[in-house]
Amino acid sequence: MNGNVAVKEVSDGYEGDDLYHLKPLKKTQVNPVFSELCSELGVNYKQQGAWVDEFGKSLREWAEKNFNNPVKTLSLFSGAGGLDIGFHDAGFDIVERVEIDSRFCDTLVENSKPDEYLSKASVVCGDIRDYIPSAVGEIDFIIGGPPCQSFSAAGRRAAGVQGTQDERGSLFEEYVRILQTLQPCGFLFENVYGITGAEKGEAWKRIVNAFSGAGYTIEHRLLNSADFGMPQHRERMFIVGVREDVEYRFPVPTHGPDSPENLPYNSAGSALYGVMNTVKPKQGLGGRFSHLLDEIPPGLNYSFFTDKMGHPNPLFAWRSKFSDFLYKADPDVPARTLKAQGGQYTGPFHWGNRPFTADELKRLQTFPDDYKIIGTRAVAYHQIGNSVPPQVARMLAVSIMEQVFGNKTPIPMPTLPPSKELGFRKRKRLLTKRYSAKAAKAIESIKDDLVKMSILDERGYSAYLGKDLSWIECNDGASFDVTADCRSTGWSITVSDYKSKKNAKLESSVDVFPIEGNEWPIESKKITLYSYSSDVRSYSALWKAFEKELRDRNIKADLVQLCGYYQYKPSFVCRLHVSDENDNIFMNRLKPLSKILNGDGVAEIMHESIMEKKLSVMGDNLIDLAEWLKLLGYEVRNHNTNPQIEEEYYLIPYAFPTLSPLSVQRKKSLKNTK
């Protein structure tokens, strides 16, 4: 079984303009490793559907017949069991799993019952910090990946990555504690790529030094799951630690341009072939952006509706949303990374313009069809998206079984030299060109239907402004009356108390000026918002009414899209004017509010002393001002709302109110509630 295998010609280099269409530069002779491995196992990896399930089953059967001494393995931070499945299939004996989330434990327990996938593994549901490792007995290997939120892209976008300063980011210390107690032959540690950049690299140094200090030689690699047969691009950092007398190298990719055979990626459409959905697929998304999903070409996201992609009605600003916002998977290529959690518009979505079912997500994450995920739809999504893909775990486990424990595998697995750089991140940077071409083709086919909505130049309505910052047009129980006069010569939006007297006086106004040189989608460059109400909430109502006109006229989805993401230069500035006779609306906070509208103290993380100076406030008045701004609808962040922000620092991303009922920041407290 480990004899000579046939060789064939494959490319030794590639050229092309994107990730999926590459041309060979030259030919070289290589061993067709993965195809031979599948042949030995009796698996047809070219078939559509869940061939990875058959691969895992056949690999497990082969291991049971050929490995006499089980490798006793402890699983930490087990989640739904993705790593456990892969290592179990490769012949590792998972003896115990430790997980804190009781919902995830329900899944682990269910699949540990007799005749289920991991029937021999016990489950410890509790905090890793309370776990006593000596009770598990002798352990040969440890696997696990601590929570990654403190190193994630969401953390970076929130205000930089806090890393090991976050309580979750320090859980690697518990991993090290258990290693030092049990002294296994080795371990595998998984986390997000952002772990290397946390705290300017200092967190990564501490993690590597801690593992080395526990007596292990470290080999680490950033891997893309699609390179190992997954129908999904998912970049994760893996660390394998071994004793000093053992050398370990990561396996070469089995699929894609970096694989010896240049096998095509496993596409999302192929992976879902024949899936039996146990729950009927949910049709549509609901909400005000749901209709946009129908127009987005497979493989693209909200950026389809941006100037950058050439859309004639660019509702969104470039890079103003996460890349998974309204992302629709392409059936012909691997999907982008599944997310453990997200909002209503967090993709990937099915190319049939609907959310994926849990059964479909299991296929995309390479969970076996017969592996049971327990919980509601949201809980199931969380568990699947949070897991290490079993197929990636299988290939890593096979390489570890061979190199660390000296067990012969069906086919010797070639390894990556430390100096060998994989090309998936470079190829990723080439995708914009492909996306732009796809967007242009889609726009060309529908451009005759892309017109601005026909809205009266002048209209009036009444609306209710809720405590949750909802803005609902209604006739009964309204808060304000609104008149919007939106002509090419100038926009004038007026807010007054509901059914107020006609002789109400002007209390305040805001002028909005486009910054010269920026794209400005509104015909008029003169926009004024007028308040004829002494109610402080009328200030919020002005911006809600302005945003409604942008949305209803199909100009922009919201104010942030008009302004642009806060880390870029804004497209407009504002000026506040208040009546000289006004003595009750903005008296104490007029000056700081005016400064904020002018852009002072905005879009930059700054120490409270600097912000106090910029906004002309003193001492404890800053936190009071911040709380008041939140009531008006401003997003304000500090250490208590976003742990990535250092203590005594603040961030006001935008010069205008942006919070809505769905905003996560709306419910967070700026004050320490402990």
Side-chain angles (χ1 to χ4, degrees):
M1 219 177 301
N2 288 306
N4 294 328
V5 295
V7 298
K8 67 176 183 177
E9 288 188 338
V10 299
S11 59
D12 193 33
Y14 307 90
E15 63 180 355
D17 61 356
D18 64 51
L19 183 60
Y20 309 113
H21 302 85
L22 299 168
K23 302 175 183 178
L25 293 174
K26 60 180 180 179
K27 301 286 186 176
T28 187
Q29 299 288 321
V30 299
N31 292 333
V33 180
F34 188 72
S35 59
E36 283 294 327
L37 174 60
C38 289
S39 178
E40 290 290 337
L41 295 175
V43 176
N44 179 11
Y45 66 90
K46 295 182 180 180
Q47 68 181 345
Q48 293 189 340
W51 65 262
V52 292
D53 284 15
E54 188 64 27
F55 181 89
K57 178 182 177 182
S58 298
L59 180 63
R60 182 168 68 254
E61 291 174 350
W62 190 95
E64 289 172 350
K65 292 178 181 178
N66 291 275
F67 297 157
N68 297 321
N69 298 318
V71 178
K72 293 187 176 298
T73 304
L74 172 64
S75 170
L76 305 177
F77 311 101
S78 303
L83 265 176
D84 305 349
I85 292 169
F87 274 76
H88 170 68
D89 288 347
F92 288 73
D93 181 16
I94 310 296
V95 297
E96 190 158 88
R97 296 179 282 176
V98 183
E99 170 57 42
I100 191 172
D101 194 318
S102 61
R103 302 168 302 172
F104 289 36
C105 288
D106 290 342
T107 291
L108 297 177
V109 169
E110 179 65 28
N111 290 283
S112 297
K113 292 179 179 178
D115 299 324
E116 294 296 340
Y117 213 93
L118 287 152
S119 58
K120 296 180 181 180
S122 65
V123 178
V124 176
C125 190
D127 195 323
I128 192 75
R129 287 164 289 203
D130 300 326
Y131 180 65
I132 302 174
S134 56
V136 75
E138 186 175 340
I139 291 294
D140 302 309
F141 203 77
I142 295 179
I143 58 177
C148 63
Q149 292 93 330
S150 55
F151 305 113
S152 68
R156 294 195 298 276
R157 191 176 175 95
V161 178
Q162 189 179 23
T164 57
Q165 296 177 25
D166 188 322
E167 186 179 67
R168 296 166 298 183
S170 63
L171 288 174
F172 80 92
E173 295 172 351
E174 298 300 320
Y175 200 125
V176 173
R177 172 180 68 87
I178 294 169
L179 278 173
Q180 291 172 325
T181 300
L182 297 177
Q183 293 290 303
C185 298
F187 68 91
L188 179 140
F189 175 97
E190 177 268 352
N191 218 289
V192 294
Y193 174 59
I195 193 173
T196 60
E199 302 172 55
K200 299 180 180 180
E202 291 301 315
W204 174 246
K205 290 180 183 178
R206 285 198 292 274
I207 291 171
V208 171
N209 289 338
F211 284 135
S212 299
Y216 295 89
T217 300
I218 304 300
E219 181 79 3
H220 64 271
R221 275 273 182 180
L222 178 65
L223 300 176
N224 178 15
S225 61
D227 284 351
F228 294 92
M230 264 197 73
Q232 178 192 154
H233 289 291
R234 186 184 186 91
E235 297 178 12
R236 290 295 185 268
M237 178 63 72
F238 289 89
I239 299 176
V240 173
V242 294
R243 292 298 182 185
E244 293 180 357
D245 57 342
V246 177
E247 183 178 70
Y248 175 78
R249 296 287 180 262
F250 283 91
V252 299
T254 60
H255 292 70
D258 285 320
S259 67
E261 299 176 80
N262 192 24
L263 295 180
Y265 284 131
N266 188 12
S267 70
S270 175
L272 295 194
Y273 181 81
V275 66
M276 299 293 289
N277 287 315
T278 55
V279 177
K280 185 178 179 180
K282 178 183 177 182
Q283 299 302 314
L285 301 181
R288 63 190 179 100
F289 294 137
S290 60
H291 66 287
L292 299 179
L293 188 63
D294 294 350
E295 299 181 42
I296 295 174
L300 300 187
N301 58 10
Y302 80 95
S303 64
F304 176 65
F305 295 96
T306 64
D307 287 318
K308 181 84 169 181
M309 288 292 179
H311 201 285
N313 292 348
L315 297 176
F316 298 103
W318 183 250
R319 292 181 177 173
S320 62
K321 299 284 188 180
F322 281 108
S323 62
D324 49 24
F325 189 84
L326 289 176
Y327 161 61
K328 184 191 295 184
D330 185 338
D332 297 329
V333 297
R336 292 184 190 173
T337 306
L338 301 186
K339 297 297 188 294
Q341 293 175 297
Q344 181 178 8
Y345 303 108
T346 299
F349 294 105
H350 193 280
W351 42 90
N353 303 319
R354 61 170 176 81
F356 283 109
T357 66
D359 293 307
E360 291 167 339
L361 291 178
K362 282 169 61 178
R363 285 279 186 95
L364 294 179
Q365 196 78 347
T366 65
F367 270 87
D369 282 348
D370 59 357
Y371 192 84
K372 299 179 177 65
I373 304 292
I374 307 301
T376 63
R377 179 196 298 265
V379 172
Y381 283 18
H382 188 184
Q383 293 182 69
I384 295 168
N386 197 58
S387 298
V388 177
Q391 182 61 16
V392 177
R394 289 185 186 109
M395 300 315 300
L396 292 174
V398 167
S399 72
I400 291 169
M401 182 66 82
E402 184 176 55
Q403 298 177 59
V404 178
F405 296 98
N407 289 316
K408 290 184 177 180
T409 51
I411 293 293
M413 301 297 294
T415 61
L416 291 166
S419 59
K420 173 65 175 178
E421 182 180 353
L422 298 178
F424 58 87
R425 289 191 70 82
K426 290 182 179 179
R427 293 191 296 271
K428 184 178 178 180
R429 292 194 288 268
L430 300 174
L431 284 174
T432 300
K433 183 176 180 181
R434 181 174 184 265
Y435 294 154
S436 297
K438 178 174 281 196
K441 184 177 180 180
I443 291 169
E444 180 65 26
S445 66
I446 61 173
K447 65 181 182 180
D448 292 340
D449 300 324
L450 297 173
V451 296
K452 299 286 184 183
M453 294 180 67
S454 177
I455 302 291
L456 294 174
D457 287 339
E458 185 176 2
R459 62 174 177 168
Y461 62 93
S462 300
Y464 169 76
L465 178 63
K467 291 183 178 180
D468 62 352
L469 298 171
S470 56
W471 183 248
I472 303 170
E473 188 172 346
C474 60
N475 291 321
D476 296 322
S479 308
F480 301 100
D481 288 326
V482 180
T483 301
D485 188 349
C486 302
R487 307 173 192 271
S488 59
T489 54
W491 278 31
S492 172
I493 298 175
T494 300
V495 167
S496 58
D497 292 326
Y498 181 55
K499 294 185 177 180
S500 63
K501 298 179 180 179
K502 291 185 178 180
N503 60 354
K505 67 178 181 179
L506 178 64
E507 299 284 355
S508 62
S509 64
V510 177
D511 293 325
V512 179
F513 303 97
I515 295 177
E516 189 174 350
N518 285 10
E519 291 288 340
W520 187 246
I522 303 174
E523 286 184 291
S524 171
K525 293 187 178 181
K526 181 182 180 182
I527 299 174
T528 307
L529 315 177
Y530 297 100
S531 170
Y532 283 84
S533 170
S534 60
D535 186 341
V536 69
R537 298 183 306 152
S538 66
Y539 178 79
S540 306
L542 288 174
W543 292 101
K544 293 289 184 182
F546 183 21
E547 190 168 65
K548 178 176 172 60
E549 295 305 315
L550 293 174
R551 187 167 56 248
D552 287 356
R553 295 171 190 277
N554 209 26
I555 295 172
K556 289 293 180 184
D558 52 48
L559 290 166
V560 171
Q561 310 311 316
L562 180 65
C563 175
Y565 183 49
Y566 78 88
Q567 292 185 353
Y568 302 109
K569 183 179 179 181
S571 65
F572 64 84
V573 293
C574 313
R575 298 289 184 272
L576 174 67
H577 307 280
V578 178
S579 169
D580 292 338
E581 299 177 5
N582 191 319
D583 61 357
N584 59 1
I585 184 169
F586 296 125
M587 279 299 290
N588 296 328
R589 284 153 178 156
L590 170 61
K591 195 167 185 178
L593 187 62
S594 296
K595 287 178 174 289
I596 289 170
L597 277 172
N598 193 39
D600 293 332
V602 171
E604 180 183 352
I605 299 174
M606 59 185 68
H607 192 269
E608 58 186 21
S609 62
I610 298 175
M611 184 164 283
E612 287 168 357
K613 185 175 181 180
K614 283 182 175 289
L615 302 184
S616 300
V617 295
M618 299 298 293
D620 294 339
N621 289 334
L622 180 60
I623 188 66
D624 292 336
L625 173 66
E627 291 281 4
W628 181 76
L629 288 171
K630 283 195 70 174
L631 291 176
L632 290 183
Y634 276 89
E635 181 179 345
V636 186
R637 308 177 192 175
N638 66 3
H639 181 74
N640 295 318
T641 64
N642 297 71
Q644 298 87 353
I645 298 176
E646 295 182 41
E647 292 186 5
E648 300 182 353
Y649 280 78
Y650 282 80
L651 170 65
I652 303 175
Y654 300 99
F656 46 86
T658 60
L659 296 180
S660 72
L662 298 178
S663 299
V664 174
Q665 291 288 337
R666 186 180 64 82
K667 298 180 181 180
K668 294 184 177 182
S669 175
L670 290 162
K671 297 181 179 180
N672 192 337
T673 56
K674 292 183 179 180

